[in-house]
Amino acid sequence: MTTVAAPQLATGHIGLNVSDLERSVDFYRRALGFEQLGASADGERKWAFLGAGGRLSLTLWQQSTGAFSVETPGLHHLSFQVDSIDQVRAVEAVLREHSVRILHDGVVAHGEGAASGGIFFTDPDGIRLEVYAPSGAESAPAPSGEAPTCGFF
């Protein structure tokens, strides 16, 4: 059997189901700085495109009730990368200003001795989110020891 080499894949946009589109758009714009690139005009099918610099990053679909479940298969968490720990801390400050609960009590390393790390929190529907930097977290605690911090929150 012949095997074809896999193409170089990169993540495109992420689509999330939300229970209240207006609330979620407000959260992602205020807390994470996304711009609204487009939105539905149909009252039955509500959605919004969010991104930065005209590039789509996130689509929100209002088609859910209840809250995010960690007990069922599916999304574990959504992670956003920034360039530096200082940028992580700036996002953390904005989140705290908006009374968003930060898990692990702030910036943590991804594991013992890891240079990468960030903050963990949830959106209004309980979807688990992370903002991290690839380096700069060497002196931050690693609450899960050697296990990936991003796996256990």
Side-chain angles (χ1 to χ4, degrees):
M1 181 159 112
T2 305
T3 303
V4 177
Q8 182 64 34
L9 299 175
T11 302
H13 71 277
I14 304 296
L16 299 175
N17 285 335
V18 298
S19 62
D20 182 328
L21 184 65
E22 187 175 320
R23 177 184 70 176
S24 292
V25 167
D26 184 57
F27 172 81
Y28 283 97
R29 289 180 75 189
R30 286 185 308 118
L32 297 177
F34 281 109
E35 303 166 16
Q36 185 169 318
L37 304 176
S40 67
D42 181 349
E44 292 281 323
R45 296 175 176 241
K46 295 180 180 182
W47 51 267
F49 291 154
L50 304 177
R55 182 177 176 270
L56 177 62
S57 298
L58 192 60
T59 303
L60 303 177
W61 307 96
Q62 182 174 303
Q63 57 187 19
S64 298
T65 58
F68 179 76
S69 171
V70 298
E71 286 85 31
T72 57
L75 179 73
H76 182 275
H77 74 284
L78 176 56
S79 177
F80 298 101
Q81 181 179 332
V82 295
D83 293 330
S84 70
I85 285 294
D86 288 340
Q87 289 173 321
V88 172
R89 292 189 193 287
V91 171
E92 179 184 11
V94 170
L95 293 172
R96 289 188 188 280
E97 191 176 293
H98 293 288
S99 301
V100 175
R101 184 173 145 247
I102 308 292
L103 306 168
H104 298 310
D105 200 31
V107 173
V108 295
H110 278 140
E112 286 182 9
S116 64
I119 55 172
F120 301 89
F121 54 100
T122 59
D123 82 350
D125 284 304
I127 297 171
R128 299 185 299 186
L129 303 171
E130 169 187 15
V131 173
Y132 83 98
S135 62
E138 296 86 350
S139 62
S144 299
E146 291 183 19
T149 301
C150 59
F152 301 96
F153 72 101

